[in-house]
Amino acid sequence: MSIHISAPAGSIARTVLLPGDPLRAKYMAERFLQNSQLVSQTRNIFYYTGTYKDKPITIGASGMGCPSIGIYSYELYTEYDVDNIIRIGTCGAYSTDLKLFDLVNVDEAASESSFARYAWGIKDECIRHQGKAFKHIKKTARKMNMSLLNRNVHSSDIFYRKSKKIPKVAEAYECVAVEMEAFALFANAEHLEKTAACLLTVSDIIPTHEKISADEREKSLLPMMELALEAALRM
Ligand code: HPA
Protein backbone atom coordinates (compact mmCIF):
# COMPACT_ATOMS: atom_id res chain seq x y z
CA MET A 1 0.00 0.00 0.00
CA SER A 2 1.18 3.51 -0.78
CA ILE A 3 -0.54 6.82 -0.13
CA HIS A 4 -2.40 6.86 -3.45
CA ILE A 5 -2.41 3.18 -4.47
CA SER A 6 -4.11 0.62 -2.24
CA ALA A 7 -2.75 -2.52 -3.96
CA PRO A 8 -1.22 -5.00 -1.51
CA ALA A 9 2.54 -5.54 -1.67
CA GLY A 10 3.47 -7.96 -4.45
CA SER A 11 0.31 -7.36 -6.48
CA ILE A 12 1.81 -4.94 -9.01
CA ALA A 13 3.96 -6.34 -11.83
CA ARG A 14 7.48 -5.07 -12.59
CA THR A 15 6.23 -3.65 -15.88
CA VAL A 16 3.33 -1.20 -15.82
CA LEU A 17 1.39 0.33 -18.72
CA LEU A 18 0.03 3.70 -17.77
CA PRO A 19 -2.77 5.35 -19.77
CA GLY A 20 -4.08 8.63 -18.35
CA ASP A 21 -7.70 7.56 -18.06
CA PRO A 22 -8.84 4.94 -15.51
CA LEU A 23 -11.56 3.69 -17.88
CA ARG A 24 -8.96 3.13 -20.57
CA ALA A 25 -6.94 1.07 -18.08
CA LYS A 26 -10.09 -0.98 -17.38
CA TYR A 27 -10.81 -1.42 -21.09
CA MET A 28 -7.25 -2.56 -21.80
CA ALA A 29 -7.14 -4.96 -18.87
CA GLU A 30 -10.46 -6.53 -19.89
CA ARG A 31 -9.46 -6.78 -23.52
CA PHE A 32 -5.84 -7.91 -23.28
CA LEU A 33 -5.00 -9.40 -19.88
CA GLN A 34 -5.68 -12.93 -18.72
CA ASN A 35 -6.78 -13.45 -15.10
CA SER A 36 -6.83 -9.72 -14.51
CA GLN A 37 -7.59 -8.53 -10.99
CA LEU A 38 -8.48 -5.03 -9.86
CA VAL A 39 -5.73 -4.36 -7.29
CA SER A 40 -6.36 -0.67 -6.51
CA GLN A 41 -9.23 1.76 -6.97
CA THR A 42 -8.28 4.61 -4.65
CA ARG A 43 -9.82 7.83 -6.06
CA ASN A 44 -11.27 5.72 -8.90
CA ILE A 45 -7.77 5.42 -10.36
CA PHE A 46 -7.91 1.76 -11.36
CA TYR A 47 -4.95 -0.63 -11.41
CA TYR A 48 -5.32 -4.14 -12.84
CA THR A 49 -2.74 -6.91 -12.75
CA GLY A 50 -2.90 -9.98 -14.97
CA THR A 51 -0.82 -11.71 -17.60
CA TYR A 52 -0.24 -10.99 -21.26
CA LYS A 53 1.12 -14.05 -23.08
CA ASP A 54 2.07 -15.41 -19.64
CA LYS A 55 3.98 -12.29 -18.58
CA PRO A 56 2.71 -10.45 -15.50
CA ILE A 57 1.67 -6.92 -16.45
CA THR A 58 -0.10 -4.17 -14.54
CA ILE A 59 -2.25 -1.62 -16.34
CA GLY A 60 -3.30 1.45 -14.38
CA ALA A 61 -4.02 5.12 -14.76
CA SER A 62 -1.71 8.10 -14.33
CA GLY A 63 -4.37 10.82 -14.25
CA MET A 64 -3.73 14.04 -16.17
CA GLY A 65 -0.70 16.29 -15.98
CA CYS A 66 2.78 16.19 -14.46
CA PRO A 67 1.66 16.45 -10.80
CA SER A 68 -0.59 13.40 -11.17
CA ILE A 69 1.77 11.12 -13.12
CA GLY A 70 4.53 12.37 -10.81
CA ILE A 71 2.69 10.87 -7.82
CA TYR A 72 1.65 7.55 -9.39
CA SER A 73 4.92 6.80 -11.12
CA TYR A 74 6.95 7.65 -7.99
CA GLU A 75 4.88 5.35 -5.80
CA LEU A 76 5.01 2.55 -8.39
CA TYR A 77 8.79 2.79 -8.67
CA THR A 78 9.55 3.20 -4.97
CA GLU A 79 6.82 1.30 -3.11
CA TYR A 80 6.09 -1.54 -5.54
CA ASP A 81 9.52 -2.25 -7.06
CA VAL A 82 8.28 -1.41 -10.54
CA ASP A 83 11.16 -1.33 -13.05
CA ASN A 84 9.47 -0.28 -16.29
CA ILE A 85 6.68 2.16 -16.97
CA ILE A 86 5.28 2.77 -20.45
CA ARG A 87 2.92 5.71 -20.63
CA ILE A 88 0.36 5.30 -23.40
CA GLY A 89 -1.58 8.37 -24.35
CA THR A 90 -2.70 10.81 -26.98
CA CYS A 91 -1.12 14.00 -28.26
CA GLY A 92 -2.01 17.06 -30.31
CA ALA A 93 0.22 17.65 -33.36
CA TYR A 94 1.70 21.13 -33.72
CA SER A 95 1.77 20.89 -37.53
CA THR A 96 0.26 19.01 -40.42
CA ASP A 97 3.51 17.03 -40.77
CA LEU A 98 1.83 14.55 -38.46
CA LYS A 99 -1.47 12.87 -39.34
CA LEU A 100 -4.29 11.61 -37.14
CA PHE A 101 -3.53 8.10 -35.81
CA ASP A 102 0.26 8.47 -36.27
CA LEU A 103 2.21 6.74 -33.51
CA VAL A 104 4.99 8.57 -31.69
CA ASN A 105 7.66 6.93 -29.54
CA VAL A 106 8.84 9.83 -27.38
CA ASP A 107 12.58 10.40 -27.50
CA GLU A 108 12.70 13.54 -25.31
CA ALA A 109 10.03 15.55 -23.50
CA ALA A 110 10.49 19.32 -23.14
CA SER A 111 8.55 21.37 -20.65
CA GLU A 112 8.17 24.72 -18.89
CA SER A 113 7.21 22.65 -15.84
CA SER A 114 9.21 23.21 -12.65
CA PHE A 115 8.57 19.58 -11.63
CA ALA A 116 12.02 18.14 -12.37
CA ARG A 117 13.88 21.11 -10.92
CA TYR A 118 11.95 21.34 -7.66
CA ALA A 119 11.52 17.58 -7.16
CA TRP A 120 15.03 16.40 -8.02
CA GLY A 121 17.26 19.33 -8.85
CA ILE A 122 17.22 18.30 -12.53
CA LYS A 123 17.66 21.62 -14.29
CA ASP A 124 17.09 20.44 -17.87
CA GLU A 125 14.03 21.69 -19.71
CA CYS A 126 14.15 18.59 -21.87
CA ILE A 127 14.44 15.04 -20.48
CA ARG A 128 15.05 11.86 -22.46
CA HIS A 129 13.20 8.53 -22.14
CA GLN A 130 15.03 6.35 -19.62
CA GLY A 131 16.44 2.84 -19.99
CA LYS A 132 15.83 0.42 -22.81
CA ALA A 133 12.04 0.56 -23.19
CA PHE A 134 12.27 3.08 -26.04
CA LYS A 135 14.53 0.73 -27.99
CA HIS A 136 12.35 -2.28 -27.24
CA ILE A 137 9.33 -0.36 -28.56
CA LYS A 138 11.24 0.61 -31.70
CA LYS A 139 12.34 -2.96 -32.39
CA THR A 140 8.90 -4.37 -31.65
CA ALA A 141 7.24 -1.92 -34.05
CA ARG A 142 9.65 -2.97 -36.79
CA LYS A 143 8.85 -6.62 -36.14
CA MET A 144 5.11 -5.90 -36.18
CA ASN A 145 5.48 -3.89 -39.41
CA MET A 146 4.04 -0.80 -37.76
CA SER A 147 5.21 2.67 -38.63
CA LEU A 148 6.46 4.54 -35.62
CA LEU A 149 7.94 8.03 -35.39
CA ASN A 150 10.70 8.65 -32.86
CA ARG A 151 10.20 12.30 -31.93
CA ASN A 152 10.43 14.91 -29.18
CA VAL A 153 7.22 16.15 -27.61
CA HIS A 154 6.17 19.06 -25.45
CA SER A 155 4.77 18.13 -22.01
CA SER A 156 2.60 21.12 -21.22
CA ASP A 157 0.89 22.03 -17.96
CA ILE A 158 -1.60 24.02 -20.00
CA PHE A 159 -4.39 22.66 -22.18
CA TYR A 160 -6.26 25.94 -22.82
CA ARG A 161 -4.27 29.08 -23.56
CA LYS A 162 -4.71 32.55 -25.10
CA SER A 163 -1.88 32.47 -27.62
CA LYS A 164 -2.18 30.31 -30.75
CA LYS A 165 1.61 30.32 -31.21
CA ILE A 166 3.67 27.21 -30.57
CA PRO A 167 5.22 27.72 -27.10
CA LYS A 168 8.94 28.66 -27.07
CA VAL A 169 10.14 25.55 -25.29
CA ALA A 170 8.40 23.36 -27.89
CA GLU A 171 10.11 25.22 -30.72
CA ALA A 172 13.49 25.18 -29.02
CA TYR A 173 13.49 21.38 -28.70
CA GLU A 174 11.77 20.61 -32.02
CA CYS A 175 8.70 19.12 -30.38
CA VAL A 176 6.24 17.88 -32.97
CA ALA A 177 3.30 17.44 -30.62
CA VAL A 178 1.96 18.25 -27.16
CA GLU A 179 0.78 16.07 -24.30
CA MET A 180 0.91 16.60 -20.54
CA GLU A 181 2.80 13.85 -18.68
CA ALA A 182 5.99 12.44 -20.26
CA PHE A 183 8.32 15.05 -18.69
CA ALA A 184 7.46 14.17 -15.08
CA LEU A 185 7.56 10.44 -15.79
CA PHE A 186 11.02 10.74 -17.37
CA ALA A 187 12.22 12.97 -14.52
CA ASN A 188 11.16 10.44 -11.87
CA ALA A 189 12.74 7.59 -13.83
CA GLU A 190 15.98 9.53 -14.30
CA HIS A 191 16.20 10.35 -10.59
CA LEU A 192 15.38 6.79 -9.51
CA GLU A 193 17.42 5.12 -12.28
CA LYS A 194 14.36 3.28 -13.59
CA THR A 195 13.01 2.67 -17.08
CA ALA A 196 10.37 4.87 -18.69
CA ALA A 197 8.99 5.28 -22.19
CA CYS A 198 6.01 7.06 -23.68
CA LEU A 199 3.97 6.00 -26.69
CA LEU A 200 1.43 8.44 -28.11
CA THR A 201 -1.27 8.34 -30.76
CA VAL A 202 -1.95 11.63 -32.55
CA SER A 203 -5.55 12.42 -31.58
CA ASP A 204 -5.74 15.97 -32.92
CA ILE A 205 -4.02 18.28 -35.36
CA ILE A 206 -3.91 21.65 -33.60
CA PRO A 207 -3.64 24.03 -36.63
CA THR A 208 -6.52 22.41 -38.56
CA HIS A 209 -8.67 21.36 -35.56
CA GLU A 210 -9.00 17.83 -36.99
CA LYS A 211 -9.73 15.30 -34.27
CA ILE A 212 -10.24 11.60 -33.84
CA SER A 213 -13.98 11.37 -33.17
CA ALA A 214 -15.29 10.02 -29.88
CA ASP A 215 -16.57 6.92 -31.75
CA GLU A 216 -13.21 6.23 -33.36
CA ARG A 217 -11.19 6.84 -30.21
CA GLU A 218 -11.46 3.44 -28.57
CA LYS A 219 -10.58 1.45 -31.70
CA SER A 220 -7.96 3.90 -32.90
CA LEU A 221 -5.84 3.34 -29.80
CA LEU A 222 -5.67 -0.45 -30.20
CA PRO A 223 -2.46 -0.52 -32.30
CA MET A 224 -0.65 1.55 -29.64
CA MET A 225 -1.92 -0.72 -26.88
CA GLU A 226 -0.79 -3.86 -28.71
CA LEU A 227 2.59 -2.35 -29.46
CA ALA A 228 3.11 -1.43 -25.80
CA LEU A 229 2.09 -4.92 -24.64
CA GLU A 230 4.29 -6.68 -27.19
CA ALA A 231 7.23 -4.42 -26.26
CA ALA A 232 6.60 -5.18 -22.59
CA LEU A 233 7.31 -8.86 -23.32
CA ARG A 234 10.95 -7.88 -23.98
CA MET A 235 11.37 -6.16 -20.57
N1 HPA B 1 -2.80 19.38 -25.55
C1 HPA B 1 -2.35 18.63 -24.53
N2 HPA B 1 -2.50 17.34 -24.47
C2 HPA B 1 -3.11 16.73 -25.48
C3 HPA B 1 -3.60 17.44 -26.57
C4 HPA B 1 -3.42 18.83 -26.60
O1 HPA B 1 -3.82 19.51 -27.54
N3 HPA B 1 -4.17 16.54 -27.41
C5 HPA B 1 -4.04 15.32 -26.84
N4 HPA B 1 -3.41 15.44 -25.67
Side-chain angles (χ1 to χ4, degrees):
M1 248 172 74
S2 61
I3 294 176
H4 301 90
I5 302 173
S6 51
S11 68
I12 301 254
R14 299 186 89 86
T15 298
V16 177
L17 269 49
L18 218 53
D21 176 358
L23 291 178
R24 197 160 294 150
K26 180 172 189 279
Y27 172 80
M28 282 185 72
E30 284 169 358
R31 183 165 181 126
F32 293 107
L33 296 185
Q34 280 82 51
N35 304 314
S36 100
Q37 305 247 8
L38 178 63
V39 292
S40 180
Q41 53 183 325
T42 306
R43 288 176 181 247
N44 284 332
I45 293 282
F46 307 134
Y47 280 80
Y48 293 86
T49 300
T51 56
Y52 178 74
K53 299 187 178 173
D54 294 330
K55 185 178 174 93
I57 301 277
T58 294
I59 305 177
S62 68
M64 286 187 282
C66 283
S68 186
I69 199 168
I71 289 169
Y72 290 104
S73 60
Y74 185 82
E75 292 183 16
L76 290 166
Y77 284 138
T78 59
E79 307 233 11
Y80 290 97
D81 287 334
V82 167
D83 292 324
N84 313 301
I85 296 179
I86 306 176
R87 160 166 155 70
I88 45 182
T90 57
C91 61
Y94 275 135
S95 83
T96 51
D97 291 349
L98 292 184
K99 307 286 173 243
L100 289 181
F101 310 109
D102 277 353
L103 269 180
V104 178
N105 188 18
V106 178
D107 186 5
E108 297 184 47
S111 188
E112 311 88 336
S113 163
S114 60
F115 181 92
R117 187 162 16 116
Y118 285 103
W120 314 122
I122 298 172
K123 298 203 175 65
D124 309 299
E125 291 179 309
C126 192
I127 304 180
R128 175 156 280 153
H129 66 269
Q130 300 292 308
K132 293 196 173 133
F134 173 91
K135 273 197 190 130
H136 290 314
I137 291 168
K138 216 169 138 175
K139 276 192 195 151
T140 307
R142 216 175 293 140
K143 208 164 160 224
M144 293 171 77
N145 246 329
M146 289 171 75
S147 35
L148 178 67
L149 304 162
N150 304 299
R151 298 283 188 277
N152 294 353
V153 301
H154 176 205
S155 295
S156 179
D157 283 343
I158 299 162
F159 192 90
Y160 300 106
R161 62 170 84 228
K162 184 159 84 177
S163 170
K164 299 274 180 252
K165 284 196 209 132
I166 297 177
K168 273 198 187 120
V169 74
E171 288 216 309
Y173 295 98
E174 299 179 359
C175 299
V176 296
V178 57
E179 54 86 66
M180 306 185 81
E181 292 84 15
F183 182 78
L185 173 64
F186 293 175
N188 279 354
E190 179 179 322
H191 174 71
L192 297 166
E193 300 185 359
K194 297 277 189 174
T195 293
C198 174
L199 254 180
L200 301 169
T201 300
V202 176
S203 61
D204 42 283
I205 311 291
I206 294 172
T208 62
H209 307 287
E210 279 175 274
K211 278 182 182 28
I212 295 181
S213 68
D215 289 352
E216 286 171 312
R217 206 165 258 258
E218 206 161 78
K219 235 172 104 199
S220 68
L221 303 179
L222 289 173
M224 170 174 66
M225 293 173 183
E226 291 197 68
L227 175 56
L229 284 160
E230 287 292 322
L233 296 177
R234 296 169 180 253
M235 295 174 204

